[in-house]
Amino acid sequence: MRGVRIRLLHPTGEKIAAGVSDHAGRYQIDGVPETLPLVLQILHEGHLSGLCCDVRLGRGEILRKDIALLRAPRVTLTLTAMPRQTAAKDVLVRVLEGPREIVRGTTDENGVVLLSVPEQGRFDLRVGGQTCAPVPAEEVLLLPGRGDVDLARRVFRGGALEVAARDADDQPVRGAVVAVHGPGLEPVQGTTGGAGLVSLGPLPPGVGLRITARSADGALRGAVPARVRDGYDDPAVVSLWPVSRIAGVIVGASGRELAGAVIEVVVPEDGTLLGVVRSDARGRFVVSDLPRGDVELVVRAAGHAPARRRARAGARGAVQVALDAVPTATLVGSVLGPGRVAVAGARVRVVPGDVGTRTEDNGSFVLDGVPPGTPQRILVEAPGLRVDESSRADRLLVALAADERRRVEIQLASADATGAPAVDAESALRALTGRIIRRDGAPVAAATVGWAGLAAVTDVDGRFELMRPPRDGRRALPLLAIMPPAGLLEPTMLPLQHPDAAGALALGDVALRERPTALLRLGETPGTQASALSFTVLMDTGDHLLGAESEPFASQRRVTYDGAWLHVAAPGAWRRGGHRRAWVGVTTADGPAAAAVTWPATAGPTQIVTPRWRDALTRVVIAIPKGYRGGELRLRLVSTPDDAPLERLGLPLETTRRADAKRLILDGLLRGTWIADLVGPAAAAPPTLRATIKNGRFRGFRPAR
């Protein structure tokens, strides 16, 4: 295959070299670092872009890496222009993942567009917006084994809205920003002219739309519903009033005012977000800058079930929202600094639970509302301090039961790795030399070495020299900062000793540590025999992969041809010891699959981990009662044995199967607790039955309540 672009990267994302395959599909990359874990990134039009991560050269080795590229899944869309039913040509079609555009194209003379999507997963298909009215976004699922997607849709020329913006005295408002919103549509926006008018379109006919407007200074706002007819310019008037507000109080299950509750104000019809605030210490809140009219309050608070309440912006009086309690857990403890001195004002929080607090003057804290069941990592932030590396890592990862109250003690150390005091710059140290090497003795070139405001870069042999001016009167820490080049070597702060009589200090060889790495090999993934696979990984610690740093429990999705570097510990993180944990999720043609993996977080050779998919999947046989054959079995996943955070892994939590036989066999069902609702055929309309499937065990249906 000719013209394939190959990039050689460090796992942390820095580019090393690049190459292009020749007419025979061969490529060669010279100057590859030896003994280091590396990544090949493959890019070729019409094929899946992905990673090859099982790349590591021994000394003097020539590595051959053959890659069988998979053709990218294709989306073929045929558009028919209504009402004449002719081919809709020159219509823009885009495939997006969230806000990120993957690929775009326009329809040809026959109204057909063929899009080759270089990734796998769930995407939004957006049609129109220029030569025709936009179509609400549609989800497409591109997975190995499912084949290409062939769709046919109708589009309309669309209509337009001639919007007039007027104030309370019925005078035109010039320079008002007007936007039209609709379900599944991107906002269409414009600004009114001198007569307070603006034309917005094309817009889809027959769809419930909402017009919002605000004056240039933001002092006036308004909103009104609207619809358009195909091929017409329909008038609409939106009245702008002084901005309104809603005030209220949030009450908890105990009847007391609830602090820290999150209040979202949304449009009742389409859920458009208008504002977000938190309740204060007395449970009160005020949301300003709202258009006058009906809104909906969505209230969430730790330890309480979410609540919704209709209200009217601009109405007098305060709104009271009462929340019901749900089971939670409590974490109590103290944060201590060097010498076991209490640390006041330190921020303590847990993720992914996303609740936090600050320590009192005596270093104590009480953290209510911790979600039970799911493992939570404790994060502590305090200026000039960090978590003591000698602390047990498992103390910072907790899984609490409902209503449990657990006590922890967290020890912090100085952010300076050595705690060495500053020394007088008039000391005799004037010249500093040394050599930076790896632990195996190989020199480290291009490392930056700094001390006392001076900096040097190591040569090809790893050597450096720092010379200090004789009359330099600045004070400096007796620490040498070593920043290695791109890759997996650990940055280091090295304490300095006293120089000799001539003011020189020769450090000799300074060996840098490697950060520990883990290579994830997906193995035989259920439901697919393809050599490339899109997967999502979720870490219990911060991640640093391919140049992307993430918070703990933040998911990352990748396409791989042979595996992936699962985790590259942030500087210093691996020294806390213990084990690291991750969840890996894939969506295949047979449905979702998830598995947990663990590995020791210790420096040394690369750890290789493989998810045990067979342990994560099960087979279930379900007996279908008479009267329900020909109906639907609706399955909803509630939990997994290892508490995999399924929503963050992007896995579908619901599936539907046809109940066509006496027995329904479900292969490859994700192990865990499922709720199964059996709905009979429409003609018979028997009552819905419900059953619980737990780890593959089906115990029969009962009438659903």
Side-chain angles (χ1 to χ4, degrees), residues 50 64 102 132 142 184 188 245 302 338 607 648 655 663:
R64 181 184 178 93
I102 307 298
C132 70
L142 303 176
V188 180
R245 72 171 197 162
Q607 307 289 330
R648 293 179 180 239
T655 184
R663 293 194 312 163

Side-chain angles (χ1 to χ4, degrees), residues 173-184:
V173 180
R174 180 179 181 181
V177 178
V178 182
V180 179
H181 308 266

Side-chain angles (χ1 to χ4, degrees), residues 214 218-221 243-246 274-275 287-292:
R214 58 179 174 83
L220 304 175
R221 290 192 66 172
V243 290
S244 303
R245 72 171 197 162
I246 289 179
L274 300 176
V287 187
S288 303
D289 196 24
L290 297 174
R292 179 176 297 183

Side-chain angles (χ1 to χ4, degrees), residues 374-456:
T374 305
Q376 304 287 329
R377 180 161 293 279
I378 307 172
L379 303 180
V380 183
E381 300 173 14
L385 298 173
R386 57 174 173 78
V387 175
D388 191 350
E389 295 169 357
S390 63
S391 298
R392 286 175 50 192
D394 56 359
R395 292 179 180 173
L396 301 179
L397 186 65
V398 295
L400 307 181
D403 299 324
E404 180 182 358
R405 185 180 180 90
R406 185 178 300 184
R407 179 172 295 278
V408 296
E409 181 181 286
I410 303 172
Q411 181 69 45
L412 302 184
S414 172
D416 172 14
T418 64
V423 297
D424 192 343
E426 293 295 328
S427 65
L429 182 55
R430 295 299 173 202
L432 189 61
T433 59
R435 181 170 177 258
I436 308 300
I437 62 172
R438 301 181 186 276
R439 298 186 68 126
D440 58 5
V444 178
T448 302
V449 182
W451 171 72
L454 306 174

Side-chain angles (χ1 to χ4, degrees), residues 389-581:
E389 295 169 357
S390 63
S391 298
R392 286 175 50 192
D394 56 359
R395 292 179 180 173
L396 301 179
L397 186 65
V398 295
L400 307 181
D403 299 324
E404 180 182 358
R405 185 180 180 90
R406 185 178 300 184
R407 179 172 295 278
V408 296
E409 181 181 286
I410 303 172
Q411 181 69 45
L412 302 184
S414 172
D416 172 14
T418 64
V423 297
D424 192 343
E426 293 295 328
S427 65
L429 182 55
R430 295 299 173 202
L432 189 61
T433 59
R435 181 170 177 258
I436 308 300
I437 62 172
R438 301 181 186 276
R439 298 186 68 126
D440 58 5
V444 178
T448 302
V449 182
W451 171 72
L454 306 174
V457 178
T458 57
D459 60 19
V460 293
D461 293 325
R463 302 185 183 279
F464 70 92
E465 182 179 16
L466 289 172
M467 301 295 294
R468 194 173 186 187
R471 296 184 180 180
D472 189 346
R474 291 174 296 177
R475 295 176 61 84
L477 286 172
L479 295 171
L480 180 69
I482 305 173
M483 179 61 65
L488 298 177
L489 291 176
E490 180 86 357
T492 300
M493 298 288 287
L494 182 69
L496 299 178
Q497 306 300 321
H498 293 288
D500 60 19
L505 177 59
L507 296 176
D509 291 343
V510 179
L512 300 184
R513 298 174 182 265
E514 274 194 15
R515 303 183 200 174
T517 57
L519 177 63
L520 171 70
R521 288 179 178 163
L522 296 178
E524 293 187 6
T525 313
T528 179
Q529 300 299 322
S531 60
L533 185 68
S534 175
F535 71 97
T536 303
V537 62
L538 197 71
M539 302 293 304
D540 68 347
T541 60
D543 213 350
H544 190 243
L545 292 170
L546 295 181
E549 295 188 37
S550 67
E551 288 284 326
F553 294 97
S555 61
Q556 297 192 36
R557 192 171 69 84
R558 308 201 186 287
V559 175
T560 177
Y561 275 92
D562 64 355
W565 292 115
L566 183 62
H567 175 60
V568 179
W574 59 269
R575 296 182 183 176
R576 288 192 288 269
H579 282 70
R580 294 290 177 260
R581 192 182 193 195

